[in-house]
Amino acid sequence: MGGKAHSEVYAKESMLKAQKEKAGGGQGVLVGEYAFTRDKAKKDEAIKEISWLSLKPGDSIGYHPHTTNEDTYIIVSGTGVFKDKDGKDVPVKAGDVTIVRKGESHGLTATGTEPLVFIDVIAEQ
Amino acid sequence: MGGKAHSEVYAKESMLKAQKEKAGGGQGVLVGEYAFTRDKAKKDEAIKEISWLSLKPGDSIGYHPHTTNEDTYIIVSGTGVFKDKDGKDVPVKAGDVTIVRKGESHGLTATGTEPLVFIDVIAEQ
């Protein structure tokens, strides 16, 4: 994937657009706009990837593990159900923050009638 | 500062509210809602702090260095001017992503007529 890392300001309109089908083993399409992607990150930088993501109602990111890094979903609009590290389903809405640490798993499903829009930040020590 | 770290879902309404005057040597008040704060983070976790921040027009976070960690501002609404690691002023708007890496400095000033709302994620290796 593209997305120039290491510069300081990433304008929304110049982000790399990418769609992933059945992301993490989920349903439908994960629509993404990437400031930069983890394959461009330097080994000595903690923040590896930042993106704006969205899921249409019913679409999902499947439950998947993070074996080497941490991943936060910050909900900007819409509603969804977050599956946490223990496999528990937790309703989420605009403003809520979720995080998994190294070795944990998560998933996210859009519910309601509008797209679920969220920010994704991946970091690694 | 408070804010329970290590749990997985932080509901917006239960976040720790805090106001900082002249944050980073800036002007006015930085209004924050913190999912968790860096003083609660574990040494072996990369993501140290996540918050929703806002500045009223004219208010600012002063230009300040990050000597040990990285800091990303993700603009959710409003407009502002971001001062980058080279001291250059860059206009920012909803959707834009800014980041400074360890050893770099940044600042942010709200412009326009509505509050500048942004997400702040701090990470460290």
Side-chain angles (χ1 to χ4, degrees), chain A residues 1 15-20 29-34 52-53:
Chain A
M1 299 237 318
M15 291 182 186
L16 175 78
K17 291 175 172 53
Q19 300 203 346
K20 295 181 187 174
V29 179
L30 176 65
V31 178
E33 295 170 280
Y34 295 82
W52 283 88
L53 300 178

Side-chain angles (χ1 to χ4, degrees), chain A residues 8 10 46 70 84-85 97, chain B residues 8 10 46 70 84-85 97:
Chain A
E8 281 214 299
Y10 301 86
E70 304 176 16
D84 77 7
K85 67 181 191 296
V97 168
Chain B
E8 282 215 299
Y10 301 86
E70 305 175 15
D84 76 7
K85 67 181 191 296
V97 169

Side-chain angles (χ1 to χ4, degrees), chain A residues 87-113:
Chain A
K88 192 176 74 171
D89 289 327
V90 182
V92 291
K93 62 189 184 314
D96 292 353
V97 168
T98 76
I99 188 167
V100 287
R101 304 293 187 174
K102 191 168 65 173
E104 298 177 348
S105 295
H106 64 167
L108 185 64
T109 301
T111 57
T113 56

